Amino acid sequence: MRRLALNEQRDPRGAPPPAATWLLARFGCGPAIESLAGDLVEEFHHGRSRAWYWRQTLAGIATSFAEDVIRHRLIVLQAILTGWTALFLFGWLLGDPMFEWLDTLAAARPMMPRVYPPMVVGSVGYVMCGWMIARLYRSHRAAAVIAFLACALVLQLPRLCDLVVDALGHPRYLPYLSGHLAGMILTIVSVLFGGFGLPCGRASKKIVEAD
Amino acid sequence: MARRDYLGSFELMVLMALIRLGDDAYGVPIAREIESHLDREVALGSVYATLSRLEERKLVTSELGDPTPERGGRAKRYFRITAKGIREARDTQTVLVRLWRDVPQLKGGSA
């Protein structure tokens, strides 16, 4: 233990990694996140390393997320259902008009970089879902949004496995695999942007304190 | 027979650390106290998750201290074990000792 602590010694005057602190404030769940963030800063100033700070931050986010999901599983389930309902309604009401608009746009400007309409429409839908979940489930925002994202990614896994098998069998399937991977990355970015990047009402800045 | 929720091993460790630390029990000293006995790193997030679970079961109480510049203006959350918490810790110990007793494989530290 002592050896571990000595190995972790670094310049105690440096500031903790701001990206880690930001991640904890954004994605940490539950009422103890502020205290945890304070503890991490205190320990960092007492000589813990940046690696230690990052490790503890990521563990803190994962643990608080799991704890929030387990303790409020009905709310999280409700949030997931809300997200899928919103996505379905979006596709039903706005999907076709958006596809048409994108086609018209592409036809009118042939020099414009080629956009991939399903990805654009899907991204807009996922941004909207993330935002809606964040807005409706403010007090459990991180848990609700991340659970919806995890669910969306899990549903894309079977197709990914199929494509990996196909691509291993023949390289002509590689573009499909990369397209699917790009879609998954876009899903992550879109849900996170909608859930955490857009304002979601009065409590958005005070979420950690209000929780 | 009424259902009883006995404490898990980490929950028991956290409660024991709270008893040992007394009034100065917040995240950092609690984690250090456990680390000093476990001889490995403890995630502060796990300590807080456990404390929050214990607080929900009314085995501990918490109160916020004053924010300090050393902590980036964030307040410490002090925890204290309740009478119910002490009772639960004792009950868990009793059950463990009873289970431990007369197990030949666990005698004399050889197992």
Side-chain angles (χ1 to χ4, degrees), chain A residues 127-152:
Chain A
V127 168
M128 190 207 65
C129 288
W131 175 77
M132 190 173 272
I133 292 170
R135 194 172 168 79
L136 291 175
Y137 302 92
R138 268 175 231 166
S139 52
H140 303 285
R141 178 165 75 159
V145 172
I146 296 172
F148 173 73
L149 174 59
C151 186

Side-chain angles (χ1 to χ4, degrees), chain A residues 1 4 8 21 31-32 34-43 45-46 48 52 55-56 60 63 67 71, chain B residues 26-28 32 35 39-46 48-49 52-53 56 64 70-72 74-77:
Chain A
M1 191 63 236
L4 182 74
E8 299 287 4
T21 308
E34 272 288 294
S35 310
L36 172 62
D39 283 2
L40 292 181
V41 173
E42 184 185 324
E43 279 289 84
H45 288 311
H46 281 123
R48 296 285 200 166
W52 178 90
R55 247 186 351 257
Q56 291 281 338
T63 317
E67 189 71 15
R71 285 170 72 178
Chain B
Y26 66 98
V28 173
R32 281 194 182 153
E35 279 177 349
D39 209 27
R40 68 172 168 84
E41 190 175 293
V42 168
L44 276 163
S46 308
Y48 274 106
S52 132
R53 221 162 34 233
E56 203 177 59
L64 280 177
E70 190 197 20
R71 297 168 55 83
R74 296 172 182 94
K76 290 176 185 171
R77 185 177 284 272

Side-chain angles (χ1 to χ4, degrees), chain A residues 87-106:
Chain A
L87 196 64
F88 172 75
L89 287 176
F90 171 82
W92 189 45
L93 296 172
L94 298 171
D96 283 344
M98 273 190 78
F99 275 121
E100 279 171 27
W101 178 72
L102 285 167
D103 284 343
T104 318
L105 201 70

